[in-house]
Amino acid sequence: MNTVNRDDRARESTQSSTVKSRRKFVGYATLGAFAALTAAAGAKRAQAQDLVNLKLSHYLPPVHGIHTDFLEPWAKALNERTGGKATARVFPGSSPFGNVANQFDQVQAGVVDAAVGLHGIPRGRFPRTGIVDLPFLTANADEATRMLWKLYPKYLKEEYPGVKVLALFAHNGGLIHTRDKKVERMEDLRGLRVRSPSPAVNEMLTYLGATPVGMAPAQVYENLQKGIIDGVVFPWDPVKSFRLDELLRYHLDARAYTVSFYFVMNQAKYDALPGDVRKVVDELSGDNLIPKFGPWWDKWDAAGLAAAKARGNVITQLSEADRMQWRETLAPMIESELKKLETEGVSNAREIYRAMQQTIASLR
């Protein structure tokens, strides 16, 4: 009997040890699996934290070349060159981030990470850069863009606090487009209400007897349609991208002015980018980006010109002799504008203007 009890107790002890061993094994296995899952989750979190997702905004329609040829390919190249580590989503003018007057503020505040905006809206924010808008200073996008980029470090940089400037650029020489009245001479502008993009162009139109009207490009079609404005000053490209060929009948190719733009990134965001991503941003911007704007704008303008021709619109080319006459007539207005800038705090306005003239001459 004692022998049986001892055997039973031995078996019970062995079974108990086996159960404890199994429990211990299961416990270790569970802990191991948990640790592996935790490590994997941590790795995924770390990987997600390493990913860079940028928001880029602008104020133009998604069919405009700035969206289709510039920003969307820029975002794609960023993703490809970083091996998928960085992505950029582009928000056009139809998005909640598309207000033309808010582009620079959105970047400074970090609402978006980067943006393309128009220097002339809101008015007076970039008085030094805006000198490029004075009439008959530049003739095409390429020379105007290269000039702005060359002068940026010495003369313009102080106007861009809180942002990393990735590019400054300008469009081809602008035209005078009208709905009902043909404009061939300066005198023909008298009494017309004309949409204007910047303070310098305001002064030019006022001096020539027109009434400048400030408004965002997206508002032009409706205001032309309602007769609130009689015409616009634009390069050729908005004639197509904003469907203005449907309303405008006359086009004076005066190449009278240009308007400039910025492509900027929030400085804190730029500084916080991983080094390899920041290197790609640099490679896609600045000196490597500047030469592209001239050919791009030629392409965009060609589409607007073609649209006007397809409608049978009247296109008048201002001769070089006529352009010289316009320039001479506007000389007092230019002098007055430079003097006004000096009284408003741009003490070296004339120096900047001369530097622009000299740089343009060196590029021709």
Side-chain angles (χ1 to χ4, degrees), residues 15-93:
Q15 290 173 352
S16 178
S17 297
T18 301
V19 170
K20 287 179 180 179
S21 296
R22 286 176 177 170
R23 288 175 179 170
K24 190 179 292 185
F25 174 79
V26 171
Y28 287 150
T30 302
L31 287 172
F34 178 76
L37 288 171
T38 302
K44 287 183 178 179
R45 282 196 300 271
Q47 187 178 21
Q49 289 170 356
D50 287 340
L51 293 178
V52 176
N53 299 297
L54 300 178
K55 289 194 294 187
L56 277 60
S57 67
H58 64 87
Y59 64 95
L60 294 158
V63 297
H64 193 280
I66 282 180
H67 185 95
T68 59
D69 295 334
F70 171 18
L71 291 177
E72 284 286 2
W74 191 94
K76 182 179 179 182
L78 178 69
N79 182 255
E80 290 175 349
R81 294 195 191 185
T82 60
K85 188 174 182 178
T87 62
R89 182 180 176 188
V90 182
F91 294 87

Side-chain angles (χ1 to χ4, degrees), residues 61-221:
V63 297
H64 193 280
I66 282 180
H67 185 95
T68 59
D69 295 334
F70 171 18
L71 291 177
E72 284 286 2
W74 191 94
K76 182 179 179 182
L78 178 69
N79 182 255
E80 290 175 349
R81 294 195 191 185
T82 60
K85 188 174 182 178
T87 62
R89 182 180 176 188
V90 182
F91 294 87
S94 55
S95 77
F97 307 112
N99 188 316
V100 62
N102 293 344
Q103 297 305 309
F104 197 82
D105 290 333
Q106 288 175 167
V107 177
Q108 282 186 316
V111 175
V112 297
D113 300 303
V116 167
L118 182 63
H119 282 116
I121 301 176
R123 311 282 171 172
R125 185 166 197 167
F126 300 93
R128 292 165 180 79
T129 309
I131 292 174
V132 71
D133 296 358
L134 287 172
F136 297 101
L137 177 60
T138 67
N140 60 67
D142 185 65
E143 67 180 26
T145 298
R146 291 177 186 272
M147 177 269 289
L148 284 170
W149 194 241
K150 186 171 183 179
L151 298 187
Y152 164 71
K154 181 176 181 180
Y155 291 110
L156 312 177
K157 190 173 183 178
E158 64 184 275
E159 294 191 324
Y160 302 87
V163 301
K164 169 70 175 177
V165 177
L166 303 179
L168 301 177
F169 59 102
H171 65 51
N172 283 325
L175 296 84
I176 298 168
H177 311 268
T178 47
R179 192 184 70 167
D180 300 320
K181 181 180 179 181
K182 184 179 181 180
V183 174
E184 293 182 292
R185 303 170 302 162
M186 289 177 278
E187 294 81 2
D188 295 332
L189 280 166
R190 291 174 184 165
L192 296 183
R193 297 157 298 178
V194 181
R195 181 266 175 186
S196 172
S198 71
V201 179
N202 284 356
E203 295 301 319
M204 178 186 78
L205 291 170
T206 300
Y207 194 80
L208 295 175
T211 299
V213 180
M215 67 178 62
Q219 298 171 337
V220 168
Y221 188 98

Side-chain angles (χ1 to χ4, degrees), residues 175-186 188-195 205 210 220 224-225 229-236 239 244-253 308 313-316 326:
L175 296 84
I176 298 168
H177 311 268
T178 47
R179 192 184 70 167
D180 300 320
K181 181 180 179 181
K182 184 179 181 180
V183 174
E184 293 182 292
R185 303 170 302 162
M186 289 177 278
D188 295 332
L189 280 166
R190 291 174 184 165
L192 296 183
R193 297 157 298 178
V194 181
R195 181 266 175 186
L205 291 170
V220 168
L224 276 171
Q225 193 174 45
I229 55 175
D230 303 301
V232 299
V233 285
F234 267 139
W236 274 116
V239 172
L244 302 183
D245 57 299
E246 298 174 6
L247 302 174
L248 297 168
R249 295 175 57 201
Y250 303 103
H251 312 270
L252 178 63
D253 192 352
N313 292 356
V314 178
I315 301 169
T316 304
W326 282 54

